[in-house]
Amino acid sequence: DTAVSQTPKYLVTQMGNDKSIKCEQNLGHDTMYWYKQDSKKFLKIMFSYNNKELIINETVPNRFSPKSPDKAHLNLHINSLELGDSAVYFCASSQEPTSYEQYFGPGTRLTVT
Amino acid sequence: GQSLEQPSEVTAVEGAIVQINCTYQTSGFYGLSWYQQHDGGAPTFLSYNALDGLEETGRFSSFLSRSDSYGYLLLQELQMKDSASYFCAVNTGFQKLVFGTGTRLLVSP
């Protein structure tokens, strides 16, 4: 009965590699998000999609490319990984883009060595 | 710029009451949410205030004063399982939430 799921849960990779994180929600929500949580636990939005359309791109380097094949899925591809990309990435969803209540996935801990 | 300030850490004992404050300065404001995050876990929604006043949900209550750009989360009858990080988040009206710096709550026996 998982509401928002992400894979993988852990990702360890070397600098310069390309990796993807997948996210799926079964809540029937229209809006999905990617957040980055750094080592100080600061949670910052990266992207949001509403009905497969990009509505927020928060000055994220273009090495990060989200893709939403349908409104239940939002994937994140990262090219040329850097040490500073190490963080926990959370996917989330909500019924509307203006919703104050968001449902978060379990997170993907990315470690770049 | 946008900022939401919270104390970095709060400690309390089981059974006590604790208040976690949040002061905000944002370009838009529609309401204040609170989220709980256990170590290694995902943020989970606790409460929301769009209007001034107190909202109660079981042992947790949340308060908002829009004129003071201030809110707080009140946790009563603290339990060990309440040890977690707590984040306030502003609904800016620009189709996103802006999260605060987070407060780590440590509950001791």
Side-chain angles (χ1 to χ4, degrees), chain B residues 11-44:
Chain B
T11 58
V13 297
E14 271 189 300
I17 299 172
V18 74
Q19 178 174 311
I20 298 174
N21 298 322
C22 173
T23 56
Y24 58 87
Q25 192 170 16
T26 56
S27 51
F29 183 86
Y30 279 69
L32 188 71
S33 299
W34 288 91
Y35 284 77
Q36 178 192 60
Q37 184 181 25
H38 286 98
D39 283 349
T44 56

Tab-separated table of all heavy atoms in Angstrom, chain B residues 11-44:
chain	number	residue	atom	x	y	z
B	11	THR	N	15.360	20.111	23.748
B	11	THR	CA	15.354	18.876	24.534
B	11	THR	C	14.249	18.947	25.577
B	11	THR	O	13.919	20.024	26.078
B	11	THR	CB	16.705	18.642	25.230
B	11	THR	OG1	16.989	19.776	26.066
B	11	THR	CG2	17.821	18.495	24.218
B	12	ALA	N	13.701	17.791	25.898
B	12	ALA	CA	12.626	17.715	26.884
B	12	ALA	C	12.556	16.289	27.411
B	12	ALA	O	13.183	15.378	26.854
B	12	ALA	CB	11.296	18.119	26.266
B	13	VAL	N	11.790	16.099	28.468
B	13	VAL	CA	11.631	14.765	29.051
B	13	VAL	C	10.248	14.223	28.713
B	13	VAL	O	9.320	14.968	28.396
B	13	VAL	CB	11.848	14.773	30.580
B	13	VAL	CG1	13.270	15.179	30.904
B	13	VAL	CG2	10.847	15.695	31.259
B	14	GLU	N	10.125	12.949	28.807
B	14	GLU	CA	8.841	12.300	28.567
B	14	GLU	C	7.757	12.900	29.438
B	14	GLU	O	7.995	13.209	30.614
B	14	GLU	CB	8.949	10.800	28.913
B	14	GLU	CG	9.392	9.918	27.787
B	14	GLU	CD	9.265	8.442	28.145
B	14	GLU	OE1	9.910	8.010	29.119
B	14	GLU	OE2	8.513	7.741	27.449
B	15	GLY	N	6.596	13.075	28.863
B	15	GLY	CA	5.469	13.607	29.601
B	15	GLY	C	5.396	15.128	29.621
B	15	GLY	O	4.366	15.700	29.993
B	16	ALA	N	6.460	15.773	29.212
B	16	ALA	CA	6.503	17.239	29.247
B	16	ALA	C	5.791	17.836	28.032
B	16	ALA	O	5.297	17.118	27.157
B	16	ALA	CB	7.954	17.710	29.293
B	17	ILE	N	5.757	19.167	28.017
B	17	ILE	CA	5.210	19.922	26.889
B	17	ILE	C	6.360	20.723	26.280
B	17	ILE	O	7.168	21.304	27.007
B	17	ILE	CB	4.110	20.900	27.353
B	17	ILE	CG1	2.951	20.129	27.992
B	17	ILE	CG2	3.610	21.756	26.189
B	17	ILE	CD1	1.907	21.036	28.641
B	18	VAL	N	6.423	20.755	24.962
B	18	VAL	CA	7.484	21.519	24.311
B	18	VAL	C	6.895	22.340	23.171
B	18	VAL	O	5.921	21.942	22.541
B	18	VAL	CB	8.616	20.582	23.811
B	18	VAL	CG1	8.174	19.803	22.581
B	18	VAL	CG2	9.871	21.359	23.506
B	19	GLN	N	7.470	23.508	22.955
B	19	GLN	CA	7.020	24.407	21.892
B	19	GLN	C	8.171	24.655	20.934
B	19	GLN	O	9.273	25.000	21.367
B	19	GLN	CB	6.548	25.736	22.503
B	19	GLN	CG	6.096	26.782	21.508
B	19	GLN	CD	5.521	27.999	22.199
B	19	GLN	OE1	4.670	27.910	23.092
B	19	GLN	NE2	5.963	29.192	21.781
B	20	ILE	N	7.915	24.489	19.666
B	20	ILE	CA	8.919	24.736	18.631
B	20	ILE	C	8.456	25.942	17.817
B	20	ILE	O	7.393	25.911	17.208
B	20	ILE	CB	9.094	23.501	17.734
B	20	ILE	CG1	9.586	22.316	18.553
B	20	ILE	CG2	10.055	23.811	16.591
B	20	ILE	CD1	9.641	21.009	17.782
B	21	ASN	N	9.273	26.978	17.827
B	21	ASN	CA	8.894	28.239	17.185
B	21	ASN	C	9.387	28.321	15.747
B	21	ASN	O	10.394	27.702	15.385
B	21	ASN	CB	9.470	29.410	17.969
B	21	ASN	CG	8.930	29.464	19.379
B	21	ASN	OD1	7.757	29.190	19.618
B	21	ASN	ND2	9.788	29.805	20.330
B	22	CYS	N	8.683	29.133	14.982
B	22	CYS	CA	9.050	29.364	13.589
B	22	CYS	C	8.727	30.804	13.239
B	22	CYS	O	7.582	31.237	13.388
B	22	CYS	CB	8.284	28.407	12.679
B	22	CYS	SG	8.475	28.696	10.899
B	23	THR	N	9.731	31.557	12.844
B	23	THR	CA	9.484	32.905	12.344
B	23	THR	C	9.834	32.916	10.857
B	23	THR	O	10.813	32.300	10.446
B	23	THR	CB	10.314	33.957	13.084
B	23	THR	OG1	11.706	33.600	12.995
B	23	THR	CG2	9.929	34.032	14.536
B	24	TYR	N	9.023	33.596	10.085
B	24	TYR	CA	9.202	33.515	8.644
B	24	TYR	C	9.216	34.893	7.998
B	24	TYR	O	8.644	35.854	8.524
B	24	TYR	CB	8.117	32.646	8.011
B	24	TYR	CG	6.695	33.130	8.272
B	24	TYR	CD1	6.103	34.067	7.431
B	24	TYR	CD2	5.967	32.641	9.354
B	24	TYR	CE1	4.817	34.517	7.671
B	24	TYR	CE2	4.670	33.083	9.598
B	24	TYR	CZ	4.101	34.014	8.761
B	24	TYR	OH	2.821	34.456	8.999
B	25	GLN	N	9.875	34.925	6.869
B	25	GLN	CA	9.909	36.122	6.034
B	25	GLN	C	9.908	35.625	4.597
B	25	GLN	O	10.915	35.102	4.122
B	25	GLN	CB	11.181	36.927	6.331
B	25	GLN	CG	11.187	38.318	5.755
B	25	GLN	CD	12.363	39.132	6.292
B	25	GLN	OE1	13.318	38.604	6.845
B	25	GLN	NE2	12.287	40.439	6.131
B	26	THR	N	8.746	35.730	3.966
B	26	THR	CA	8.615	35.180	2.618
B	26	THR	C	7.928	36.192	1.712
B	26	THR	O	7.232	37.099	2.175
B	26	THR	CB	7.807	33.869	2.630
B	26	THR	OG1	6.528	34.112	3.232
B	26	THR	CG2	8.525	32.796	3.434
B	27	SER	N	8.076	35.999	0.417
B	27	SER	CA	7.498	36.932	-0.548
B	27	SER	C	5.999	36.729	-0.709
B	27	SER	O	5.318	37.606	-1.233
B	27	SER	CB	8.203	36.791	-1.899
B	27	SER	OG	8.221	35.448	-2.282
B	28	GLY	N	5.499	35.618	-0.287
B	28	GLY	CA	4.067	35.371	-0.304
B	28	GLY	C	3.721	34.487	0.877
B	28	GLY	O	4.579	33.746	1.381
B	29	PHE	N	2.479	34.556	1.335
B	29	PHE	CA	2.099	33.707	2.471
B	29	PHE	C	0.642	33.321	2.369
B	29	PHE	O	-0.236	34.189	2.352
B	29	PHE	CB	2.362	34.418	3.805
B	29	PHE	CG	2.048	33.556	4.994
B	29	PHE	CD1	3.003	32.686	5.499
B	29	PHE	CD2	0.792	33.577	5.586
B	29	PHE	CE1	2.716	31.866	6.575
B	29	PHE	CE2	0.491	32.763	6.654
B	29	PHE	CZ	1.461	31.905	7.163
B	30	TYR	N	0.417	32.006	2.292
B	30	TYR	CA	-0.939	31.490	2.311
B	30	TYR	C	-1.198	30.645	3.551
B	30	TYR	O	-2.338	30.423	3.918
B	30	TYR	CB	-1.226	30.669	1.052
B	30	TYR	CG	-1.564	31.520	-0.135
B	30	TYR	CD1	-0.607	32.320	-0.743
B	30	TYR	CD2	-2.848	31.535	-0.653
B	30	TYR	CE1	-0.924	33.121	-1.822
B	30	TYR	CE2	-3.176	32.326	-1.745
B	30	TYR	CZ	-2.206	33.113	-2.323
B	30	TYR	OH	-2.527	33.903	-3.382
B	31	GLY	N	-0.138	30.178	4.179
B	31	GLY	CA	-0.329	29.360	5.364
B	31	GLY	C	0.962	28.703	5.799
B	31	GLY	O	1.970	28.732	5.084
B	32	LEU	N	0.926	28.121	7.004
B	32	LEU	CA	2.106	27.502	7.612
B	32	LEU	C	1.809	26.045	7.907
B	32	LEU	O	0.830	25.729	8.588
B	32	LEU	CB	2.467	28.244	8.903
B	32	LEU	CG	3.779	27.841	9.573
B	32	LEU	CD1	4.964	28.310	8.751
B	32	LEU	CD2	3.853	28.431	10.980
B	33	SER	N	2.663	25.187	7.387
B	33	SER	CA	2.545	23.743	7.636
B	33	SER	C	3.643	23.296	8.584
B	33	SER	O	4.672	23.957	8.721
B	33	SER	CB	2.710	22.958	6.326
B	33	SER	OG	1.733	23.277	5.389
B	34	TRP	N	3.408	22.150	9.205
B	34	TRP	CA	4.428	21.509	10.032
B	34	TRP	C	4.593	20.060	9.586
B	34	TRP	O	3.604	19.358	9.334
B	34	TRP	CB	4.042	21.547	11.502
B	34	TRP	CG	4.156	22.918	12.101
B	34	TRP	CD1	3.181	23.868	12.172
B	34	TRP	CD2	5.327	23.492	12.691
B	34	TRP	NE1	3.674	25.003	12.770
B	34	TRP	CE2	4.983	24.801	13.104
B	34	TRP	CE3	6.627	23.045	12.923
B	34	TRP	CZ2	5.895	25.652	13.730
B	34	TRP	CZ3	7.532	23.884	13.541
B	34	TRP	CH2	7.160	25.181	13.941
B	35	TYR	N	5.866	19.643	9.519
B	35	TYR	CA	6.207	18.286	9.129
B	35	TYR	C	7.132	17.678	10.175
B	35	TYR	O	7.953	18.378	10.784
B	35	TYR	CB	6.909	18.269	7.770
B	35	TYR	CG	5.983	18.472	6.588
B	35	TYR	CD1	5.498	19.742	6.275
B	35	TYR	CD2	5.587	17.400	5.795
B	35	TYR	CE1	4.640	19.917	5.206
B	35	TYR	CE2	4.732	17.571	4.723
B	35	TYR	CZ	4.254	18.837	4.438
B	35	TYR	OH	3.403	19.016	3.377
B	36	GLN	N	7.002	16.372	10.338
B	36	GLN	CA	7.867	15.610	11.244
B	36	GLN	C	8.743	14.679	10.418
B	36	GLN	O	8.263	14.083	9.437
B	36	GLN	CB	7.002	14.778	12.201
B	36	GLN	CG	7.773	13.902	13.170
B	36	GLN	CD	6.856	12.901	13.879
B	36	GLN	OE1	6.202	12.074	13.242
B	36	GLN	NE2	6.785	12.988	15.193
B	37	GLN	N	10.007	14.567	10.806
B	37	GLN	CA	10.887	13.640	10.100
B	37	GLN	C	11.749	12.896	11.111
B	37	GLN	O	12.583	13.493	11.794
B	37	GLN	CB	11.780	14.387	9.102
B	37	GLN	CG	12.655	13.456	8.265
B	37	GLN	CD	13.548	14.201	7.294
B	37	GLN	OE1	13.887	15.364	7.494
B	37	GLN	NE2	13.935	13.537	6.210
B	38	HIS	N	11.566	11.592	11.184
B	38	HIS	CA	12.447	10.763	12.011
B	38	HIS	C	13.734	10.508	11.245
B	38	HIS	O	13.765	10.558	10.013
B	38	HIS	CB	11.771	9.435	12.358
B	38	HIS	CG	10.697	9.572	13.386
B	38	HIS	ND1	9.352	9.649	13.058
B	38	HIS	CD2	10.761	9.666	14.737
B	38	HIS	CE1	8.637	9.769	14.153
B	38	HIS	NE2	9.464	9.792	15.190
B	39	ASP	N	14.816	10.245	12.005
B	39	ASP	CA	16.110	9.971	11.392
B	39	ASP	C	15.982	8.839	10.382
B	39	ASP	O	15.444	7.769	10.710
B	39	ASP	CB	17.145	9.595	12.453
B	39	ASP	CG	17.650	10.806	13.211
B	39	ASP	OD1	17.370	11.943	12.782
B	39	ASP	OD2	18.330	10.613	14.235
B	40	GLY	N	16.461	9.087	9.181
B	40	GLY	CA	16.415	8.067	8.143
B	40	GLY	C	15.064	7.922	7.478
B	40	GLY	O	14.889	7.071	6.593
B	41	GLY	N	14.103	8.741	7.900
B	41	GLY	CA	12.758	8.630	7.351
B	41	GLY	C	12.383	9.803	6.468
B	41	GLY	O	13.196	10.683	6.186
B	42	ALA	N	11.149	9.794	6.033
B	42	ALA	CA	10.628	10.836	5.165
B	42	ALA	C	9.856	11.861	5.982
B	42	ALA	O	9.275	11.529	7.020
B	42	ALA	CB	9.716	10.229	4.106
B	43	PRO	N	9.822	13.098	5.535
B	43	PRO	CA	8.949	14.084	6.196
B	43	PRO	C	7.490	13.654	6.089
B	43	PRO	O	7.051	13.181	5.035
B	43	PRO	CB	9.191	15.365	5.409
B	43	PRO	CG	10.510	15.169	4.740
B	43	PRO	CD	10.589	13.707	4.438
B	44	THR	N	6.746	13.819	7.187
B	44	THR	CA	5.320	13.518	7.162
B	44	THR	C	4.554	14.727	7.685
B	44	THR	O	4.970	15.383	8.641
B	44	THR	CB	4.961	12.279	8.007
B	44	THR	OG1	5.441	12.486	9.340
B	44	THR	CG2	5.584	11.030	7.452
